[in-house]
Every structure is written in structure tokens, then in C-alpha cells.
Amino acid sequence: QVQLVESGGGSVQAGGSLRLSCTASGSIWSIPTMGWYRQAPGKERELVADIISDDTPTYSDSVKGRFIITRENAKKTVTLQMNNLKPEDTAVYYCNAKLRETWRRALETYWGQGTQVTVSS
């Protein structure tokens, strides 16, 4: 059974930094895309950043220049370094992976349990 386990998050003042990590485990053939989404109270879940297996990242406009996403394919890990955090970054952050459990299987989407990030002004 595939699992995504997140670590990191917490509370920080505006201008501070936090790092989120997520590791995938279980029967996995390949993970073409790993990334992070977030959901603030009363808002829809939105993409923060994702990265494909050749290390090409994509960022939402709201975090470009402040957040950095990296991945270690051998460890099935994705990390989000969040710098210059703003109060509007406050949300629950979810790890996301689009993966295949075997070479025959179609891509499936998995989610972590979510981790809270709170930025105070």
C-alpha cells in the first residue's frame, strides 16, 4: 500500500522560513510527478509547486522566487523550502504524488495527511 508521509511545518513569523518533506513508500514502479498543494480555511486546495522526474519544477505565481521544490528520486522524497513566508501562506500543506505501482498500472494520485503551516504577522 502506497503511503506519503510528511514532516515539517509549524509556526513562524512573517519573513521566516520552513521546510516540508514528504517520502513515498510502498509498492511503487515510478513517480513521474511529486508536489505540494495547500488549502486555507474557506478556500479550495491549490497547487503550490510540483516537480517531475527530470527535476523540472513548476511554481504557482504566489510563491515564485520564495519557495524551492526539490526531489531525490532514489529516496522517493520531495522537499519544499519555504522562504520569506507571508501570512497569506498560512494553510494546510498536502504532499501529492502521481505514480504507478506497476508498469502496467495507470497513473494514480496519492495524498499525504497534511501538515499545518501558520505564518504570523
Side-chain angles (χ1 to χ4, degrees), residues 69-86:
I69 188 168
T70 56
R71 64 183 286 172
E72 290 187 64
N73 292 328
K75 295 182 179 180
K76 300 184 182 67
T77 296
V78 62
T79 299
L80 185 69
Q81 176 66 41
M82 304 184 292
N83 301 318
N84 190 21
L85 282 158
K86 303 177 180 180

Side-chain angles (χ1 to χ4, degrees), residues 12-114:
V12 68
Q13 289 191 326
S17 297
L18 287 171
R19 180 190 297 256
L20 306 180
S21 290
C22 171
T23 299
S25 64
S27 177
I28 298 171
W29 175 259
S30 67
I31 314 178
T33 307
M34 299 187 80
W36 293 91
Y37 287 69
R38 67 187 180 189
Q39 188 166 19
K43 294 189 176 181
E44 293 188 355
R45 192 173 296 189
E46 63 175 2
L47 174 68
V48 176
D50 64 19
I51 184 166
I52 62 176
S53 54
D54 69 355
D55 289 338
T56 300
T58 300
Y59 297 97
S60 69
D61 288 342
S62 61
V63 307
K64 272 181 188 175
R66 300 188 296 123
F67 291 11
I68 301 170
I69 188 168
T70 56
R71 64 183 286 172
E72 290 187 64
N73 292 328
K75 295 182 179 180
K76 300 184 182 67
T77 296
V78 62
T79 299
L80 185 69
Q81 176 66 41
M82 304 184 292
N83 301 318
N84 190 21
L85 282 158
K86 303 177 180 180
E88 51 264 42
D89 294 318
T90 295
V92 177
Y93 284 68
Y94 296 91
C95 179
N96 172 279
K98 298 175 179 65
L99 59 86
R100 289 186 173 86
E101 292 189 42
T102 71
W103 68 273
R104 292 176 176 227
R105 297 276 294 268
L107 274 176
E108 295 179 80
T109 297
Y110 289 85
W111 295 94
Q113 77 279 8

